Amino acid sequence: MNRRRKGADHTLAALRSIRAARPDRAPIYVIMDNLSANKTPAIRAWAARNKVELCFTPTSASWANPIEAQFGPLRTFVMGASNHPNHTVLARRLQGYLRWRNANARHPDVLAAQRRERARVRSERQQRWGRPRNTAA
């Protein structure tokens, strides 16, 4: 869901939705960033009761999150060169893209955008963890 702010209530609602999609009660592993709203005691307690394992990526480590490669195509096809008048219109565009994306998972444009995003995210890894930039010419 597209929100103006990020809060623990939104995170918990998303986790409940994910859990509801697996009524067989099989364990679910959710990769999350280190946003403090994702780590509240209420969320941790709910996750423990409902067989949901919260897997937090390290701070500033988008390269460690496999879902990051999906955001490149989303930016390219929905956000690029756009000027959405409000959040409602943006949410509809995002939902439309996701419906199309799920029906066309192997589309050449999507695969190319994913490769570009994976390369961008991997290159970002080299500028993290206090490594000096290679400025040798």
Side-chain angles (χ1 to χ4, degrees):
M1 174 101 27
N2 187 30
R3 306 267 186 204
R4 288 182 183 267
R5 66 174 183 81
K6 296 178 182 178
D9 53 335
H10 301 137
T11 300
L12 190 53
L15 290 171
R16 285 182 173 143
S17 174
I18 292 167
R19 175 76 272 168
R22 289 297 307 262
D24 62 358
R25 303 285 299 154
I28 296 174
Y29 300 89
V30 181
I31 299 172
M32 304 175 83
D33 64 10
N34 270 307
L35 181 68
S36 61
N38 294 341
K39 301 182 197 179
T40 65
I43 288 173
R44 288 177 185 264
W46 180 88
R49 284 191 314 271
N50 289 280
K51 289 188 176 179
V52 175
E53 180 76 28
L54 305 177
C55 307
F56 296 102
T57 58
T59 303
S60 300
S62 59
W63 52 267
N65 188 342
I67 197 68
E68 288 292 329
Q70 306 305 318
F71 293 123
L74 185 122
R75 277 193 296 272
T76 300
F77 300 125
V78 177
M79 309 294 281
S82 66
N83 187 14
H84 303 294
N86 56 46
H87 277 79
T88 303
V89 172
L90 173 59
R92 284 190 193 126
R93 290 283 313 274
L94 289 167
Q95 291 162 357
Y97 167 75
L98 292 173
R99 276 191 300 277
W100 177 87
R101 169 67 177 81
N102 288 335
N104 298 280
R106 305 298 299 170
H107 192 282
D109 293 341
V110 171
L111 296 175
Q114 285 175 331
R115 281 192 299 276
R116 284 191 303 272
E117 185 64 10
R118 274 194 294 274
R120 186 194 69 75
V121 170
R122 276 194 309 269
S123 70
E124 185 179 276
R125 180 180 184 184
Q126 303 309 314
Q127 277 106 47
R128 300 288 187 203
W129 314 110
R131 291 189 187 111
R133 287 188 146 200
N134 185 2
T135 58

